[in-house]
Amino acid sequence: MSQREQWSSKLGFILAAAGSAIGLGAIWKFPYIAGQNGGGAFFLIFILFTLVLGLPLLLAEFTIGRTAQDNAVNSYRKIAPGTRWHWVGILGMITSFILLSFYSVIGGWIIVYLVKAIAGDLNNLTVDQYAEVFNGTISDPVVSVLVQLLFILMTIIVISGGVQKGIERVSSFMMPALFVLFMILVVRAVTLDGAMDGIRFLLLPDFSKVTSQTILEAMGQSFFTLSVGVSVMVTYSSYLPKTQSLPRAAFSIVGMNIFIVLLAGLAIFPAVFSFGLEPGAGPVLLFNVLPTVFSQLPFGMLFFIAFLVLFLFAALTSAFSMLEIIVSVASNGEPSKRKKWAWIIGLAIFVCGVPSALSYGVLGDVIIFGKTIFDLADYTVSNVLLPIGALLITLFVSMKMKRSALWEELQRGSRVKRGLFEAWFFLVRYVCPVLILAVMMDVLGVW
Ligand code: PHE
C-alpha cells in the first residue's frame, strides 16, 4: 500500500478545513433560518453555541483525526479497538450522504443563476421579476435535476483526483476574494433606504420570539456551519503533519465563519427590509434578494457573476469534504480505488438527491411530517443527525481518550497553555454533552 497522503503545506489544511466549514451554511442557510426565527435573538444564540459547542467540538475532531491518522471509521477503531465507537464514523458517513443529496440542490441553483447572469437574462429586473425568474427555473424538473447533477459531477471529479491535488488547489484562492466581494455587498446593502430596520432585525435580540425550536435550530446551525458532528474534520486532520497547531486552526476557522455569517446577514437583511420582502421566505431568500442588491451597484451584473463564481466555489469546497469522508473510508486509503468509489458514491448520492431537487416543482405537494422532501432532509441532518454525532464525539473524547494523550496531541506544533487546555477539556467533557442533550430533550418536551 502506498504512503498516506498529506496536505502539501500548512496552509493547505487550514484552507481546506475552512473551505469545508464556509459554504452554504453561513451564506445561504444562516440568513433564511435566522429570518424564520426572528433575527437577533437567533443570531446571538447561534454565536454562543458556536463558541461553547462548535469550537470545542472542532478541536475535538481535529485531535481525534491527527491522533489516529486514519479515515473517519478507522480513527475510532484505532483509538478504541474492539468497541462499537466506529459507528460514530459510520453515522458521519450516512449524515454526509444525506447532506450532499440536498446540498447539491442548492449548488445547482447557484449554477442556474450563474448561467442566467452570464446570458444577460437578469439585467434590470425588479425584485418581483427576479423572484419569478428564479422560482420558475427551480420548479422546472429537468433544469433542477441537471444542475444538481452538474454540481455533483464537479465534486466527483475533484475528489477522485485526491486530497492534495484536488482540494487544496481549488481552496487556495477563493476565500479572500469572497470576503472582499461580500464587503462591497454589505456597504451597498447597509446604505439602502430603510436599511436600519434590517440591521436592527439582525442585531437587536427579541427574546419573546425564542422557543425551544429556535434554540435547537441555532444549535444545529452552529454545527452545520462548522462542519462538526460528521467526522469530516476527523478525516481532514488525519492528513495533517504533526507540526501544525490544532488550536490555532480551530480558532481561525471559527473566527472566519462568524465573520462571514455576519457579512451574509448584513448583506441580506437590510435589503430584505428595504425592498419590503419577507425575512421568513425560506430557502429561496438569498436567491430572491441578492440580485436586487447587486443590480443597485455600478457594474452590478459583473459583480453578481463574480459573486456567484465564488459562492459556487465555497459550496463546492464544502461538498468536497462530504464526499471525501465517504470515499476515504470506502477506498481505505488506497489511491487506486479512490476514483472508482468517488464515482459510485457520488452518483448514488445524486440518485437519492433527485426527490429533493424536485421538491420545488413536481414533488412540491409531497409533505412528510409537515415538510417538503428537501426541508425534511435538511432538518433531519441539521437538527437530528448533527447533534447526535456531536454528542457521541464529545462522549468518545471524554470516555475513550486519555487526558494526558489529548494534552500531548494538542501541544504538537502549538504552545497551547495548560489553562486553555483544561477549559477545552471541561467544555468537551461536561458542558457540551449536557447542553446538547438538554436542548434536544427540551424540544422533545421531556420536561
Ligand atoms: N459547513 C458546511 C457549510 O456551511 C456544511 C457541512 C456540514 C460540510 C457538515 C461538511 C460537513 O456549508
Side-chain angles (χ1 to χ4, degrees):
M1 207 159 76
S2 70
Q3 210 205 333
R4 229 178 121 65
E5 275 186 280
Q6 287 206 335
W7 302 107
S8 60
S9 68
K10 265 193 176 187
L11 203 62
F13 165 73
I14 297 261
L15 283 170
S20 166
I22 295 173
L24 296 176
I27 303 170
W28 155 79
K29 193 161 190 244
F30 170 78
Y32 101 72
I33 300 274
Q36 286 175 335
N37 284 285
F42 178 88
F43 182 50
L44 192 68
I45 301 171
F46 162 78
I47 299 284
L48 285 178
F49 279 142
T50 299
L51 297 175
V52 176
L53 299 177
L55 176 62
L57 260 153
L58 187 59
L59 197 48
E61 289 203 22
F62 283 169
T63 315
I64 297 172
R66 199 175 59 178
T67 303
Q69 308 257 319
D70 212 321
N71 65 43
V73 171
N74 285 347
S75 285
Y76 296 96
R77 266 207 194 106
K78 265 195 189 164
I79 296 174
T83 66
R84 301 218 175 127
W85 281 100
H86 61 278
W87 276 93
V88 179
I90 296 173
L91 178 71
M93 291 168 68
I94 297 170
T95 309
S96 276
F97 191 99
I98 307 173
L99 179 54
L100 188 52
S101 79
F102 71 83
Y103 206 87
S104 50
V105 175
I106 312 295
W109 290 1
I110 306 174
I111 298 175
V112 164
Y113 248 170
L114 191 57
V115 172
K116 281 194 179 297
I118 293 174
D121 294 352
L122 301 177
N123 295 341
N124 306 321
L125 303 184
T126 63
V127 185
D128 295 338
Q129 284 168 326
Y130 279 122
E132 234 169 75
V133 171
F134 182 68
N135 298 340
T137 329
I138 61 169
S139 59
D140 182 322
V142 178
V143 174
S144 49
V145 171
L146 267 184
V147 287
Q148 177 187 33
L149 178 61
L150 206 59
F151 184 84
I152 293 197
L153 288 179
M154 293 178 187
T155 310
I156 295 175
I157 289 167
V158 171
I159 289 304
S160 57
V163 176
Q164 196 174 322
K165 264 189 282 150
I167 305 174
E168 266 186 77
R169 200 183 305 151
V170 189
S171 304
S172 57
F173 59 88
M174 53 130 302
M175 212 81 67
L178 185 67
F179 276 92
V180 171
L181 256 192
F182 245 124
M183 301 262 230
I184 297 175
L185 198 59
V186 168
V187 172
R188 177 64 272 207
V190 298
T191 49
L192 290 168
D193 280 342
M196 256 337 265
D197 288 338
I199 299 176
R200 247 180 253 127
F201 178 81
L202 179 67
L203 298 180
L204 280 189
D206 172 2
F207 287 101
S208 66
K209 301 229 175 81
V210 175
T211 61
S212 39
Q213 190 63 37
T214 317
I215 297 178
L216 176 70
E217 300 223 7
M219 183 170 84
Q221 179 65 18
S222 72
F223 297 150
F224 192 101
T225 48
L226 285 178
S227 310
V228 295
V230 227
S231 305
V232 154
M233 293 302 188
V234 171
T235 310
Y236 270 16
S237 55
S238 74
Y239 304 120
L240 194 61
K242 299 269 182 192
T243 46
Q244 172 112 19
S245 163
L246 296 179
R248 186 168 325 135
F251 275 110
S252 59
I253 289 169
V254 168
M256 277 191 262
N257 227 316
I258 292 182
F259 188 54
I260 207 102
V261 160
L262 186 66
L263 289 181
L266 286 176
I268 302 274
F269 289 114
V272 167
F273 282 81
S274 172
F275 303 136
L277 299 169
E278 176 45 55
V284 293
L285 182 70
L286 175 107
F287 292 90
N288 287 342
V289 176
L290 274 195
T292 322
V293 187
F294 276 107
S295 68
Q296 309 270 325
L297 279 168
F299 306 108
M301 274 305 126
L302 277 184
F303 275 122
F304 190 42
I305 292 171
F307 174 83
L308 288 169
V309 171
L310 297 171
F311 188 26
L312 184 61
F313 272 130
L316 279 170
T317 50
S318 303
F320 298 160
S321 67
M322 298 170 205
L323 189 57
E324 170 64 24
I325 166 182
I326 312 178
V327 170
S328 63
V329 174
S331 63
N332 205 10
E334 290 184 42
S336 56
K337 297 199 181 142
R338 174 174 263 283
K339 198 165 198 160
K340 179 182 90 189
W341 282 111
W343 281 95
I344 295 176
I345 295 160
L347 292 177
I349 291 176
F350 164 67
V351 172
C352 297
V354 167
S356 288
L358 298 179
S359 279
Y360 286 84
V362 286
L363 295 184
D365 294 335
V366 181
I367 302 292
I368 307 160
F369 297 122
K371 294 187 183 335
T372 63
I373 299 171
F374 177 96
D375 286 340
L376 186 68
D378 184 359
Y379 189 91
T380 309
V381 164
S382 309
N383 303 321
V384 182
L385 296 174
L386 290 184
I388 292 176
L391 175 66
L392 291 174
I393 288 169
T394 59
L395 294 179
F396 178 78
V397 169
S398 41
M399 290 160 66
K400 288 289 153 191
M401 295 178 80
K402 286 210 187 70
R403 199 193 190 105
S404 54
L406 292 167
W407 168 234
E408 236 170 69
E409 187 61 57
L410 279 178
Q411 269 185 312
R412 297 209 167 99
S414 142
R415 265 169 280 136
V416 62
K417 299 245 164 26
R418 186 80 206 189
L420 195 67
F421 169 80
E422 294 297 340
W424 169 74
F425 191 69
F426 181 79
L427 283 172
V428 172
R429 182 162 219 176
Y430 302 107
V431 179
C432 295
V434 171
L435 199 55
I436 297 171
L437 266 179
V439 171
M440 293 183 81
M441 299 236 238
D442 194 33
V443 163
L444 295 174
V446 174
W447 50 68

